[in-house]
Amino acid sequence: MASVKLGSKPDAFKRQGQAWFCTTGLPSDVTVEVGDMSFHLHKFPLLSKSAFLERSIEENSDQEECIIKLNDIPGGAKSFELVARFCYGVKIELSPANVVYLRCASEHLEMTEEVAEENLIAQSEMFLNQVVLRNWKDSLAALETCDDLLPHAEDLQIVNRCIESLASKATSNPNLFGWPIREHGMMQSPGGSVLWNGISTGARPRNFNSDWWYGDASSLSFPMYKRLISTMESRGIRPEIIAGSLTYYAKKYLPGLRRHSHSMGTMPLTATLSEVEQKKLLEEIDRLLPLHRGIASTKVLLGLLRTAMILKASPTCISNLEKRIGMQLDQATLEDLLLPNFSYTMETLYNVECVHRILDHFLAMDQANGGESPCLDDVMASPSLTPITSVAKLIDGYLAEIAPDINLKPPKFQALASAIPEYARPLDDGLYRAIDIYLKAHSWLSEAEREQFCRLLDCQKLSLEACTHAAQNERLPLRVVVQVLFFEQLQLRTSIAGCLLVSDNLEGSRPLRSGIATSGEAGGWATAVRENQVLKVGMDNMRTRLAELEKECSSMRQEIEKLGGRAGKGGGGGWASRVVPRRLGLKVRSQMCSAQEGSVSEQHRSMSAKLDKLQAKVSKQKKQLAADA
């Protein structure tokens, strides 16, 4: 920190309790009272430097004891002590920490050049302009002292000058400056090495990142910091840099946000603000944050939202944060989205309504950006649909996490699940898992309510693994199980057809024509062999699954026959003819299973024949390769 020494005389001041005495040997003839502190001084040194003190001494000349009260001097007793030392010519050190005190006090005491040459106004102003405002650290230290000197520092334009100095340095890239450059007290030569007294040291200056000033600026009081940020914005600094600084400031002064942050590093602890002060700070930070997607991480925004709920911030602040999060919901994680419910009027463990509002903001933005309802193949192939599919997966995971809450009402669950567009879910496995967890935790739901839940599912969009689980899930209504089995067999047929198509393509491939295979041909043959092996394993799995399906169809047919037999004995078949087709659809299912058994057997035999042909072909090719070698 830069400094300049003023005066040459040795220290002649001594403090005793709440009084200062000048030990020059002469008795004191004037007493200056500043608050609770008394200064026992001499008239001549004071009036020779200050026009204000000269007038005050003349006004009290008729009094037996000259007493001057300076209760309104900027900086109080601290400032006047330095002023008194200057008036006596005692050595004092002018520094960024006290220059604003001396500049404001000297202005109040009218210590101008008309009164004396090289007076305190000129000395402090020169040091402020030529030393302090040219250096980042010194400008920052001077600005920090302005909080105690308002409005005097404001009237003298010291606050504006310090902020302009800081803003110009923060918005400039030090690496782009030419020679000579002084930044952070460092001189740089044309070759890039650090200079000391004009001599190259050979040391290279460290590169500056755009966030190098975050920690320093966070030491300012929020009113000063806010003015600094506003000045930077007017200079065209990038919004993401402003957002980064605001995030740093919020993490430093909001304990609730700091507890949920894993990137605080060695950030120093600060004095804890009251809840009212934290609330005002959070609302101000929300107003200052630029409204752009991606300038602040979703984790930080969700942390701010959680803290705003705890502090009971204004509805406008909470709504703004929800909109910001909704703009980039695809970047959120499930852990951060689990916002606890801090309201006494709501019974659920997590704030489901808040997440629903955030999702609505995201969907509204997606529609505004031209979102539409493409087919399933487009969803799987188009990179532009990645955000909406990511959000659908995130919400499905969120539903699975909140499903065990026994106080979560079905309408809330269904409303959040159905808010996702149908095209956003390529598969419904995640939604099926969430519904299954909910049904397990809410076992008292009626059959009609369970069927209502299962209407959220599209059985055609379940994977084979999910279909297998659903077919054996006792919590699902029987109608849903039948649908799942039907679509599972359709998927299985499609898979078998695909495998047979691959087999036909392999049979139609041409044999090696030359006796010596090239490296590319050898690699292609090795790939074909590996694919055949994978195909064999897949077909073995299909055989097993086909056998299981045959057993299931037979079992279901037997159950249907039993039900029909009981109905015939009890009421002439009336119950079976009415209930089974209408409520369960089992008669149709029985016919379907009978038809499918024959189809499955044919496919089984066809697959076996194809597999034997493939194995024979592989053996033949291996023999040919061995002969060629």
Side-chain angles (χ1 to χ4, degrees), residues 78-99:
K78 178 181 178 180
S79 295
F80 187 76
E81 177 196 344
L82 295 172
V83 169
R85 292 174 182 271
F86 176 82
C87 292
Y88 278 83
V90 174
K91 292 179 182 178
I92 62 172
E93 189 174 82
L94 202 59
S95 69
N98 63 25
V99 65

Side-chain angles (χ1 to χ4, degrees), residues 91-150:
K91 292 179 182 178
I92 62 172
E93 189 174 82
L94 202 59
S95 69
N98 63 25
V99 65
V100 183
Y101 285 94
L102 288 172
R103 177 65 185 88
C104 294
S106 62
E107 184 72 22
H108 179 77
L109 297 175
E110 302 176 22
M111 302 177 72
T112 61
E113 292 299 292
E114 288 77 9
V115 178
E117 293 183 357
E118 297 184 353
N119 212 343
L120 189 54
I121 288 179
Q123 296 278 17
S124 58
E125 190 68 28
M126 183 183 301
F127 180 74
L128 184 65
N129 290 329
Q130 297 185 4
V131 179
V132 173
L133 296 180
R134 294 187 178 185
N135 186 277
W136 167 270
K137 290 288 187 182
D138 294 344
S139 299
L140 188 70
L143 183 58
E144 289 176 353
T145 63
C146 291
D147 286 315
D148 299 330
L149 298 166
L150 297 176

Side-chain angles (χ1 to χ4, degrees), residues 434-607:
I435 292 175
D436 184 43
I437 295 174
Y438 189 90
L439 295 179
K440 183 178 181 181
H442 301 75
S443 57
W444 57 85
L445 292 177
S446 65
E447 187 77 8
E449 290 174 324
R450 291 172 181 268
E451 288 193 3
Q452 183 72 22
F453 257 93
C454 292
R455 287 176 186 172
L456 296 170
L457 282 174
D458 184 352
C459 296
Q460 300 184 65
K461 293 167 64 176
L462 293 177
S463 65
L464 283 174
E465 293 80 2
C467 286
T468 303
H469 186 278
Q472 303 172 3
N473 193 342
E474 298 179 353
R475 289 181 288 273
L476 296 181
L478 187 56
R479 183 183 63 83
V480 178
V481 174
V482 172
Q483 286 183 356
V484 168
L485 284 171
F486 174 73
F487 289 117
E488 182 185 25
Q489 288 199 0
L490 287 181
Q491 289 188 44
L492 200 56
R493 284 185 177 185
T494 304
S495 300
I496 293 172
C499 292
L500 296 178
L501 180 61
V502 172
S503 174
D504 292 338
N505 290 337
L506 287 175
E507 284 184 352
S509 61
R510 291 178 298 174
L512 296 175
R513 291 172 294 178
S514 59
I516 303 175
T518 62
S519 59
E521 290 171 338
W525 174 244
T527 302
V529 172
R530 285 196 299 270
E531 289 177 352
N532 278 339
Q533 293 173 348
V534 172
L535 181 61
K536 180 181 178 182
V537 174
M539 296 179 74
D540 289 340
N541 293 335
M542 288 180 189
R543 281 199 192 98
T544 304
R545 184 60 188 148
L546 285 170
E548 292 176 356
L549 286 175
E550 288 174 356
K551 292 179 182 179
E552 290 177 6
C553 288
S554 299
S555 176
M556 290 182 66
R557 188 169 58 184
Q558 291 174 5
E559 291 293 332
I560 294 169
E561 290 174 355
K562 290 179 182 180
L563 290 173
R566 293 196 196 102
K569 292 179 181 180
W575 182 88
S577 62
R578 291 194 305 270
V579 177
V580 174
R582 179 172 56 84
R583 185 174 180 183
L584 302 178
L586 293 179
K587 189 172 183 179
V588 176
R589 180 61 183 170
S590 170
Q591 296 172 357
M592 182 179 67
C593 289
S594 299
Q596 287 176 348
E597 280 184 336
S599 175
V600 166
S601 299
E602 281 185 8
Q603 291 173 357
H604 187 188
R605 289 192 295 271
S606 177
M607 286 171 55

Side-chain angles (χ1 to χ4, degrees), residues 23-93:
T23 59
T24 58
L26 298 175
S28 173
D29 55 3
V30 61
T31 301
V32 180
E33 294 181 354
V34 184
D36 297 334
M37 191 69 68
S38 299
F39 294 84
H40 301 273
L41 306 173
H42 304 86
K43 295 179 180 180
F44 181 74
L46 299 180
L47 61 86
S48 64
K49 296 290 186 180
S50 169
F52 178 86
L53 292 176
E54 182 180 7
R55 289 197 305 272
S56 299
I57 291 173
E58 291 179 356
E59 292 173 358
N60 291 274
S61 60
D62 298 335
Q63 303 294 329
E64 182 177 352
E65 184 177 1
C66 184
I67 300 177
I68 302 174
K69 294 185 177 182
L70 294 177
N71 293 324
D72 55 349
I73 185 173
K78 178 181 178 180
S79 295
F80 187 76
E81 177 196 344
L82 295 172
V83 169
R85 292 174 182 271
F86 176 82
C87 292
Y88 278 83
V90 174
K91 292 179 182 178
I92 62 172
E93 189 174 82

Side-chain angles (χ1 to χ4, degrees), residues 9-30:
K9 297 179 181 179
D11 191 3
F13 283 79
K14 184 178 180 180
R15 180 173 177 176
Q16 296 180 0
Q18 292 297 105
W20 281 94
F21 296 89
C22 183
T23 59
T24 58
L26 298 175
S28 173
D29 55 3
V30 61

